[in-house]
Amino acid sequence: MAAAGTDVEPSMSSLAVSGLPARESRRVMGLSPGRLAYVALAAVVALLFAFPVLFMITSSFKAEWEVQAIPVHWLPYDFQGLGRYVHAAELAPLWRYFFNSAIMSVTNVVVTCFFSALAGYGFAKFRFPGRTFLFYFIIATMMIPLQILVVPLFVEIRAFGWQDTYAGLIVPGIMNAFGVFMMRQYAGELPTELIEAGRMDGAGECVIFLRIVLPLLVPALTSLGIIIFIWSWGNFLWPLVAVQDRDLTVLAVGLTNYTQPYNSGMQWAAAMAASTVATLPIAAIFVFLQRYFIKGLTAGAVKG
């Protein structure tokens, strides 16, 4: 028996003896069936999503024969250290691929975010003839698959002389209908009084946008920037079509060089190492900017 005056955590049996039903007792202890089922389901889903990533990382430290070993070696028996990463850089210009992907992705993020914010602000706060038609026309372009646009876009960049150039690689992806839609939804929630106050102070529209509107859009722009960066970094189809020069190849396309039998044989361990390198920027950006990403996605959906 506990001494008087001391705080003792009630056990399940003491709660039952005190007259609480078993279901209520489990709820008090935080072990309700619904919560347990939710945690179990979340754990299973997380494991399913994490398994390919964990297998990729562990395989990047394995010997070549271990990657396809049956039964599967979950951890490397013959630990290679950073040898697979060095080998991946020797087989192909991995860091050149990394640089090209970074140039394409960063440029897409900066240009897309700026013009999406500009267009979204215009659709949200200005009244002009055809505004609704133009907005829904832009949204309708989201329904067109990229595969349908590949041929017309390729004909255009070839006519401009942009084939095998950074311009041909980047320009077709610098505007995004989703970005316009997202910024319009978020900009619509901005206080109109702030914009009117800027006009009353004599500020021009460009000054209002750059000094008042754009800073208020930063949470949504962060979310959009992460989405565009992930899409650009993993874009495979368009860089495959637009660029044949090896010096302009991006990571998503360059990774196929490690699994081509006509090249230097299928190098699965090196492919896993190169894939791990390709994953690091996305993982780092999401980890460090996760708070802003979630804030930007939810802020525009809350009416206030």
Coordinates of all heavy atoms in Angstrom, one line a residue, residues 226-273:
I226 N 9.6 23.8 -52.5 CA 9.9 22.5 -52.2 C 9.3 21.5 -53.3 O 9.9 20.6 -53.8 CB 9.5 22.1 -50.8 CG1 10.3 22.9 -49.8 CG2 9.6 20.6 -50.6 CD1 9.8 22.7 -48.4
I227 N 8.0 21.8 -53.6 CA 7.3 20.9 -54.6 C 8.0 21.0 -55.9 O 8.2 20.0 -56.6 CB 5.8 21.3 -54.6 CG1 5.1 21.0 -53.3 CG2 5.1 20.6 -55.8 CD1 3.7 21.6 -53.2
I228 N 8.3 22.2 -56.4 CA 8.9 22.4 -57.7 C 10.3 21.8 -57.7 O 10.7 21.2 -58.7 CB 9.0 23.9 -58.1 CG1 7.5 24.5 -58.2 CG2 9.7 24.1 -59.4 CD1 6.7 23.8 -59.2
F229 N 11.0 22.0 -56.6 CA 12.4 21.4 -56.6 C 12.4 19.9 -56.7 O 13.2 19.3 -57.4 CB 13.1 21.8 -55.3 CG 14.5 21.4 -55.2 CD1 15.5 22.2 -55.7 CD2 14.9 20.2 -54.6 CE1 16.9 21.7 -55.6 CE2 16.2 19.7 -54.5 CZ 17.2 20.5 -55.0
I230 N 11.5 19.2 -55.9 CA 11.4 17.8 -56.0 C 11.0 17.3 -57.4 O 11.5 16.4 -57.9 CB 10.4 17.3 -54.9 CG1 10.9 17.6 -53.5 CG2 10.1 15.8 -55.1 CD1 9.9 17.2 -52.4
W231 N 10.0 18.0 -58.0 CA 9.6 17.7 -59.3 C 10.8 17.8 -60.3 O 11.0 17.0 -61.2 CB 8.4 18.5 -59.7 CG 8.0 18.2 -61.2 CD1 7.2 17.3 -61.6 CD2 8.4 19.0 -62.3 NE1 7.0 17.3 -63.0 CE2 7.7 18.4 -63.4 CE3 9.2 20.1 -62.5 CZ2 7.9 18.8 -64.7 CZ3 9.3 20.6 -63.8 CH2 8.7 19.9 -64.9
S232 N 11.5 19.0 -60.2 CA 12.6 19.2 -61.2 C 13.7 18.3 -61.0 O 14.3 17.8 -61.9 CB 13.0 20.7 -61.0 OG 12.0 21.6 -61.3
W233 N 14.0 18.0 -59.7 CA 15.2 17.1 -59.4 C 15.0 15.7 -59.9 O 15.9 15.1 -60.4 CB 15.4 17.1 -57.9 CG 16.7 16.5 -57.5 CD1 16.9 15.2 -57.1 CD2 18.0 17.1 -57.4 NE1 18.2 14.9 -56.8 CE2 18.9 16.1 -57.0 CE3 18.5 18.4 -57.7 CZ2 20.3 16.4 -56.8 CZ3 19.8 18.6 -57.5 CH2 20.7 17.6 -57.1
G234 N 13.7 15.3 -59.9 CA 13.4 13.9 -60.3 C 12.9 13.8 -61.7 O 12.6 12.7 -62.2
N235 N 12.9 14.9 -62.5 CA 12.4 14.9 -63.8 C 13.2 14.1 -64.7 O 14.5 14.3 -64.9 CB 12.3 16.4 -64.3 CG 11.5 16.5 -65.6 OD1 10.9 15.5 -66.1 ND2 11.4 17.6 -66.2
F236 N 12.6 13.1 -65.4 CA 13.4 12.2 -66.2 C 13.1 12.3 -67.7 O 14.0 12.4 -68.5 CB 13.1 10.8 -65.8 CG 13.8 9.7 -66.6 CD1 15.1 9.4 -66.4 CD2 13.1 9.1 -67.6 CE1 15.7 8.4 -67.2 CE2 13.7 8.1 -68.4 CZ 15.0 7.8 -68.2
L237 N 11.8 12.4 -68.0 CA 11.4 12.4 -69.4 C 11.9 13.5 -70.2 O 12.5 13.3 -71.3 CB 9.9 12.3 -69.5 CG 9.3 12.2 -70.9 CD1 9.8 11.0 -71.7 CD2 7.7 12.2 -70.9
W238 N 11.7 14.8 -69.8 CA 12.1 15.9 -70.6 C 13.6 16.0 -70.8 O 14.1 16.2 -71.9 CB 11.5 17.2 -70.0 CG 11.9 18.4 -70.8 CD1 12.8 19.4 -70.4 CD2 11.6 18.7 -72.2 NE1 13.0 20.3 -71.5 CE2 12.3 19.9 -72.6 CE3 10.8 18.0 -73.2 CZ2 12.2 20.4 -73.8 CZ3 10.7 18.6 -74.4 CH2 11.4 19.8 -74.7
P239 N 14.4 15.9 -69.7 CA 15.8 15.9 -69.9 C 16.3 14.8 -70.8 O 17.3 15.0 -71.6 CB 16.4 15.8 -68.5 CG 15.4 16.3 -67.6 CD 14.1 15.9 -68.3
L240 N 15.7 13.7 -70.8 CA 16.1 12.6 -71.7 C 15.9 12.9 -73.2 O 16.7 12.6 -74.0 CB 15.2 11.3 -71.4 CG 15.5 10.1 -72.2 CD1 16.9 9.5 -72.0 CD2 14.5 9.0 -71.9
V241 N 14.8 13.7 -73.4 CA 14.4 14.1 -74.8 C 15.2 15.3 -75.3 O 15.7 15.3 -76.4 CB 12.9 14.3 -74.9 CG1 12.6 14.9 -76.3 CG2 12.1 13.1 -74.7
A242 N 15.4 16.3 -74.4 CA 15.9 17.6 -74.8 C 17.5 17.6 -74.9 O 18.0 18.4 -75.6 CB 15.5 18.6 -73.8
V243 N 18.1 16.7 -74.2 CA 19.6 16.7 -74.1 C 20.2 15.4 -74.5 O 19.8 14.3 -73.9 CB 20.0 17.1 -72.7 CG1 21.5 17.0 -72.5 CG2 19.6 18.5 -72.4
Q244 N 21.1 15.4 -75.4 CA 21.9 14.2 -75.7 C 23.4 14.4 -75.3 O 24.1 13.4 -75.3 CB 21.8 13.8 -77.2 CG 20.5 13.1 -77.6 CD 19.3 14.1 -77.6 OE1 19.5 15.2 -78.2 NE2 18.2 13.7 -77.1
D245 N 23.8 15.6 -75.1 CA 25.1 15.9 -74.7 C 25.4 15.4 -73.2 O 24.6 15.7 -72.3 CB 25.4 17.4 -74.7 CG 26.8 17.8 -74.5 OD1 27.6 16.9 -74.1 OD2 27.2 18.9 -74.8
R246 N 26.4 14.6 -73.1 CA 26.7 14.0 -71.7 C 27.0 15.1 -70.7 O 26.8 14.9 -69.5 CB 27.8 13.0 -71.9 CG 28.0 12.1 -70.6 CD 29.1 11.1 -70.8 NE 29.1 10.1 -69.7 CZ 30.0 9.2 -69.6 NH1 31.0 9.1 -70.5 NH2 29.9 8.3 -68.6
D247 N 27.6 16.2 -71.2 CA 28.0 17.3 -70.2 C 26.7 18.0 -69.7 O 26.9 18.8 -68.7 CB 28.9 18.3 -70.9 CG 30.3 17.7 -71.2 OD1 30.6 16.8 -70.4 OD2 30.9 18.2 -72.1
L248 N 25.6 17.8 -70.3 CA 24.3 18.4 -69.8 C 23.4 17.4 -69.2 O 22.2 17.8 -68.8 CB 23.6 19.2 -71.0 CG 24.4 20.3 -71.6 CD1 23.7 20.9 -72.8 CD2 24.7 21.4 -70.6
T249 N 23.8 16.2 -69.1 CA 22.9 15.2 -68.5 C 22.6 15.4 -67.0 O 23.5 15.8 -66.3 CB 23.5 13.8 -68.7 OG1 23.8 13.5 -70.1 CG2 22.6 12.7 -68.1
V250 N 21.4 15.2 -66.6 CA 21.0 15.4 -65.2 C 21.1 14.1 -64.5 O 21.2 13.0 -65.1 CB 19.6 16.0 -65.1 CG1 19.6 17.4 -65.8 CG2 18.6 15.1 -65.7
L251 N 21.0 14.1 -63.2 CA 21.1 12.9 -62.4 C 20.1 11.8 -62.7 O 20.4 10.6 -62.8 CB 21.0 13.3 -60.9 CG 22.3 13.5 -60.1 CD1 22.0 14.0 -58.7 CD2 23.1 12.2 -60.1
A252 N 18.8 12.2 -62.9 CA 17.8 11.2 -63.1 C 18.1 10.4 -64.4 O 17.8 9.2 -64.4 CB 16.4 11.9 -63.2
V253 N 18.6 11.1 -65.4 CA 19.0 10.3 -66.6 C 20.3 9.7 -66.5 O 20.5 8.5 -66.9 CB 19.0 11.3 -67.8 CG1 19.4 10.6 -69.1 CG2 17.6 12.0 -68.0
G254 N 21.3 10.3 -65.8 CA 22.6 9.8 -65.7 C 22.6 8.5 -64.9 O 23.5 7.6 -65.1
L255 N 21.7 8.3 -64.0 CA 21.7 7.1 -63.2 C 21.5 5.8 -64.0 O 21.9 4.7 -63.6 CB 20.6 7.1 -62.1 CG 20.7 8.1 -61.0 CD1 19.5 8.2 -60.1 CD2 22.0 7.8 -60.2
T256 N 20.9 6.0 -65.2 CA 20.7 4.8 -66.0 C 22.0 4.2 -66.6 O 22.1 3.1 -67.1 CB 19.7 5.1 -67.2 OG1 20.3 6.2 -68.0 CG2 18.4 5.6 -66.7
N257 N 23.0 5.1 -66.6 CA 24.3 4.6 -67.1 C 24.9 3.5 -66.3 O 25.7 2.7 -66.8 CB 25.3 5.8 -67.2 CG 25.0 6.8 -68.2 OD1 24.4 6.5 -69.2 ND2 25.3 8.1 -67.9
Y258 N 24.5 3.4 -65.0 CA 25.1 2.4 -64.2 C 24.4 1.0 -64.4 O 24.9 0.0 -63.9 CB 24.9 2.8 -62.7 CG 25.7 4.0 -62.4 CD1 25.0 5.3 -62.3 CD2 27.1 4.0 -62.2 CE1 25.7 6.4 -62.0 CE2 27.8 5.2 -61.9 CZ 27.1 6.4 -61.8 OH 27.8 7.5 -61.5
T259 N 23.3 1.0 -65.0 CA 22.6 -0.3 -65.2 C 22.5 -0.7 -66.7 O 21.6 -1.5 -67.0 CB 21.2 -0.2 -64.6 OG1 20.5 0.9 -65.2 CG2 21.3 0.0 -63.1
Q260 N 23.3 -0.1 -67.5 CA 23.3 -0.5 -69.0 C 24.3 -1.5 -69.2 O 25.5 -1.3 -69.0 CB 23.6 0.8 -69.8 CG 22.6 1.9 -69.6 CD 21.2 1.5 -70.1 OE1 21.0 0.6 -70.9 NE2 20.2 2.2 -69.5
P261 N 23.9 -2.7 -69.7 CA 24.9 -3.8 -69.9 C 25.9 -3.5 -71.0 O 27.0 -4.0 -71.0 CB 24.0 -5.0 -70.3 CG 22.7 -4.4 -70.8 CD 22.5 -3.1 -70.0
Y262 N 25.5 -2.6 -72.0 CA 26.5 -2.3 -73.1 C 27.5 -1.3 -72.7 O 28.5 -1.0 -73.4 CB 25.7 -1.7 -74.3 CG 24.9 -0.5 -74.0 CD1 25.5 0.7 -74.0 CD2 23.5 -0.6 -73.7 CE1 24.8 1.9 -73.7 CE2 22.8 0.6 -73.5 CZ 23.4 1.8 -73.4 OH 22.7 2.9 -73.2
N263 N 27.4 -0.7 -71.5 CA 28.4 0.3 -71.0 C 29.6 -0.4 -70.3 O 30.5 -0.8 -71.0 CB 27.7 1.3 -70.1 CG 28.5 2.5 -69.8 OD1 29.6 2.6 -70.3 ND2 27.9 3.4 -69.0
S264 N 29.5 -0.6 -69.1 CA 30.6 -1.3 -68.4 C 30.1 -2.4 -67.5 O 30.6 -2.8 -66.5 CB 31.3 -0.3 -67.4 OG 30.4 0.4 -66.6
G265 N 28.9 -3.0 -68.0 CA 28.3 -4.0 -67.2 C 27.4 -3.4 -66.2 O 27.5 -2.2 -65.8
M266 N 26.4 -4.1 -65.7 CA 25.5 -3.6 -64.7 C 26.2 -3.4 -63.4 O 26.6 -4.4 -62.8 CB 24.2 -4.5 -64.6 CG 23.4 -4.6 -65.9 SD 21.9 -5.6 -65.7 CE 21.2 -5.4 -67.3
Q267 N 26.2 -2.2 -62.9 CA 26.9 -1.9 -61.7 C 25.9 -1.5 -60.6 O 25.6 -0.3 -60.4 CB 27.9 -0.8 -61.9 CG 29.0 -1.0 -62.9 CD 30.0 -2.1 -62.5 OE1 30.3 -2.2 -61.3 NE2 30.4 -2.9 -63.4
W268 N 25.2 -2.5 -60.0 CA 24.1 -2.2 -59.1 C 24.6 -1.5 -57.9 O 23.9 -0.6 -57.4 CB 23.4 -3.5 -58.8 CG 22.7 -4.1 -60.0 CD1 23.1 -5.2 -60.7 CD2 21.5 -3.6 -60.7 NE1 22.2 -5.5 -61.7 CE2 21.3 -4.5 -61.8 CE3 20.7 -2.5 -60.5 CZ2 20.2 -4.3 -62.6 CZ3 19.7 -2.3 -61.4 CH2 19.4 -3.2 -62.4
A269 N 25.7 -1.9 -57.3 CA 26.2 -1.3 -56.1 C 26.5 0.2 -56.4 O 26.2 1.1 -55.6 CB 27.4 -2.0 -55.5
A270 N 27.1 0.5 -57.5 CA 27.4 1.9 -57.8 C 26.2 2.6 -58.1 O 26.1 3.8 -57.8 CB 28.3 1.9 -59.1
A271 N 25.2 2.0 -58.7 CA 23.9 2.6 -58.9 C 23.2 3.0 -57.6 O 22.6 4.1 -57.5 CB 23.0 1.7 -59.8
M272 N 23.3 2.1 -56.6 CA 22.7 2.4 -55.3 C 23.4 3.6 -54.7 O 22.8 4.5 -54.0 CB 22.8 1.2 -54.4 CG 21.9 0.0 -54.9 SD 20.2 0.4 -54.9 CE 19.5 -1.1 -55.6
A273 N 24.8 3.7 -54.8 CA 25.5 4.8 -54.2 C 25.1 6.1 -54.9 O 24.9 7.1 -54.3 CB 27.0 4.5 -54.4

